[in-house]
Amino acid sequence: MTSLKSIGQIGIPAKDINRAILFYKDLLELPLLFNTDTMAFFDCDGIRLMLSLPEKEQFTNASSVLYFQVDDITASYSQMKEKGVSFIDKPHVVAKMDSTETWMVFFNDTEGNTHALTSEVEV
């Protein structure tokens, strides 16, 4: 039996590939590995994000929520908001375990996908 090891790539649907490239490269500051007319590949700390124009109708729906880990969620939120990222809410505590709080804030990309910033904070 084959066992799964790790996630090597995550696909994110795009309606306008050039607009999506600018969002992920300029606003999220992810390194662009390479792109074609219909796809773009970014590095997110060893996991490859693939933006693509859907080849079939079944792939046109929004993707799964990506949770981007950050060290300082308040600073990251402020910096990204200044750049024009559209946030759904403000950073808030979603869970507390012992002396650690888990904080999140959700945002939309230019293609209708919802993602989040998350941070573990010692209290």
Side-chain angles (χ1 to χ4, degrees):
M1 178 172 180
T2 303
S3 62
L4 300 178
K5 294 185 179 192
S6 64
I7 294 174
Q9 179 170 293
I10 298 171
I12 303 170
K15 296 173 183 86
D16 179 322
I17 196 70
N18 293 320
R19 176 180 64 196
I21 288 170
L22 291 174
F23 180 84
Y24 284 84
K25 183 169 73 79
D26 295 344
L27 300 185
L28 299 189
E29 298 182 2
L30 292 175
L32 177 65
L33 298 172
F34 63 95
N35 64 285
T36 69
D37 291 341
T38 61
M39 297 182 289
F41 297 86
F42 291 86
D43 177 55
C44 185
D45 197 29
I47 300 205
R48 192 165 51 193
L49 299 181
M50 177 191 71
L51 305 179
S52 67
L53 297 177
E55 291 181 36
K56 298 179 181 178
E57 183 66 27
Q58 71 192 60
F59 298 119
T60 60
N61 297 330
S63 69
S64 298
V65 177
L66 300 181
Y67 293 82
F68 294 97
Q69 186 74 34
V70 295
D71 291 328
D72 185 336
I73 196 164
T74 304
S76 296
Y77 167 80
S78 296
Q79 183 182 44
M80 290 170 62
K81 192 170 176 86
E82 284 178 22
K83 289 181 171 186
V85 173
S86 175
F87 282 91
I88 297 168
D89 54 5
K90 293 184 178 179
H92 59 281
V93 176
V94 295
K96 183 172 182 174
M97 289 187 271
D98 299 322
S99 63
T100 304
E101 293 178 342
T102 301
W103 285 69
M104 286 187 194
V105 61
F106 292 87
F107 64 93
N108 292 316
D109 70 6
T110 55
E111 309 309 296
N113 300 297
T114 300
H115 302 308
L117 302 179
T118 184
S119 186
E120 302 293 322
V121 179
E122 294 293 322
V123 291

